[in-house]
Structure formats: C-alpha cells, structure tokens
Amino acid sequence: MSMTASSIYEILKSGYVKKQARRSKRNWKTRYFLLTSGSLIYYDSHESLKIAKGDVLLTKDTVLEVDEANDGENKRLNIHSSFGSGMTLEFDTAEECVAWKDEITNVIQNIKHVRRGYAIRQKGVLSGGHKRLFFVLHKNGISSHSSHEDTANPLEVLRFTAAAKLIPNDSSMLIELVNPEDNVSWR
C-alpha cells in the first residue's frame, strides 16, 4: 500500500518556494514544500502530492544558514543535513526566509521526539522474506521507506487507531503491529 507523505506526516508549514538545482546549481524552480516533524519535503505543486520530488531528512545536526540573494537581500536559506543531502531555497522576502528558518529550527530542536531508524521487516517467504527498511514513528502511525534518503515517499503506512495492537514477542525481539480497521499487519 503506497501512501503520500502528507497522509501520515504532521504538516507544520507549507508553501511555494524557489529551490536551487542540487547538481548544476544553475537554475531555480518553484516547488511546493511541506515541513513536517522530521523532514522538509517538496513537490511540483500543491496539486501533485502523490509523489514527492525529494526531501531533506532533518536531524539535530542539520545546519541552517541565511545568505544573500542576487538582489543583496538575506532571503536565501542553505540547509545542510548530516545525511549528505542539502538544498538552497530562495524566498520572495527576507521576512519569509526568517519565518521558514525559525520553523525549521523548531523542528531541529524537537527532533529528539521523532523516532526513526533501520529495522528488518519480516514478510512471507513467497514475498521475499526479510527486508531492511527505514522506519519513521509518527504521532498517528508508522511508515516504512526504502532508505533514509527517501522519507518523502513511504512504501507502506500503518495507522494507529483504537483497534491497532502492538504484540511483543520477547523471545525473538519481534514486534507485530496489527490494524484490523485497515486490514494491515506488520512483523
């Protein structure tokens, strides 16, 4: 089951921002950004939230730097992530740049409340057995991702509802998550 990031992540801020091309550094494209409790995710537009174009996983080591744009105003924000990815954003005004920087700074300061990391997902023998995936624990569920470099597009999402159960198995360090409302079960 593939779900959009906006369906599981808590959205703290959103809006259109210019983003510098990561490789060439030559061109700028306007993208729609979602700031969540652990990532900065971007899309082509607010109408295309099915597949993200990319994201930056925010950590306690993420560094933010405000920089001058070509017009001399401090309205560029450089984001350096400890996972090697980063980006430069340009805002219409210096005030907008500061507002986004402040919101991202708040996320970075609260990142200790976000739980994420690699774990082995056990599947049936016919579907490939075991797979190492990156998991993110959210307020309302847990999502699995192919790696920490692609947290914008979850592979699967398990929502926490009143019917969801956590079934620990002490002998093998195995946890089973079950949500009968969505007919989803993870091991």
Side-chain angles (χ1 to χ4, degrees):
M1 164 178 42
S2 179
M3 311 245 341
T4 64
S6 60
S7 69
I8 188 72
Y9 284 104
E10 178 185 11
I11 308 301
L12 304 172
K13 189 168 182 66
S14 63
Y16 284 93
V17 180
K18 288 183 208 147
K19 182 188 122 1
Q20 186 178 38
R22 286 186 181 183
R23 290 188 185 99
S24 72
K25 305 277 188 209
R26 290 187 203 147
N27 59 356
W28 294 82
K29 292 198 176 177
T30 301
R31 299 289 185 219
Y32 185 72
F33 281 82
L34 298 178
L35 176 62
T36 72
S37 58
S39 296
L40 184 61
I41 305 167
Y42 61 95
Y43 301 84
D44 277 329
S45 76
H46 71 279
E47 296 172 341
S48 64
L49 298 180
K50 295 274 186 218
I51 305 272
K53 297 288 285 180
D55 68 327
V56 172
L57 186 64
L58 301 172
T59 70
K60 63 182 178 63
D61 300 321
T62 301
V63 176
L64 304 175
E65 299 171 17
V66 174
D67 201 1
E68 285 185 6
N70 290 339
D71 61 7
E73 287 190 54
N74 288 338
K75 57 184 189 180
R76 282 193 183 160
L77 182 61
N78 298 310
I79 304 168
H80 305 282
S81 172
S82 59
F83 281 102
S85 63
M87 66 177 65
T88 300
L89 306 176
E90 185 171 292
F91 300 88
D92 291 334
T93 65
E95 293 79 19
E96 188 181 4
C97 180
V98 169
W100 275 86
K101 180 182 181 282
D102 290 346
E103 285 290 331
I104 295 170
T105 299
N106 286 337
V107 168
I108 293 168
Q109 290 171 345
N110 292 315
I111 212 75
K112 62 185 174 216
H113 301 296
V114 176
R115 299 292 178 242
R116 54 195 174 188
Y118 284 94
I120 304 297
R121 167 90 192 278
Q122 182 179 357
K123 290 193 169 197
V125 175
L126 296 176
S127 64
H130 298 73
K131 184 150 179 128
R132 182 177 184 260
L133 298 172
F134 189 74
F135 290 88
V136 180
L137 182 62
H138 310 275
K139 277 184 176 180
N140 59 350
I142 187 169
S143 58
S144 67
H145 309 269
S146 57
S147 77
H148 67 272
E149 295 174 339
D150 188 18
T151 58
N153 297 306
L155 297 173
E156 292 183 292
V157 171
L158 186 134
R159 292 194 173 287
F160 299 144
T161 65
K165 298 177 196 168
L166 174 65
I167 306 166
N169 183 336
D170 295 332
S171 64
S172 64
M173 301 272 302
L174 179 71
I175 298 173
E176 185 171 2
L177 296 165
V178 179
N179 185 346
E181 287 181 14
D182 293 338
N183 197 24
V184 177
S185 176
W186 286 11
R187 272 187 112 167

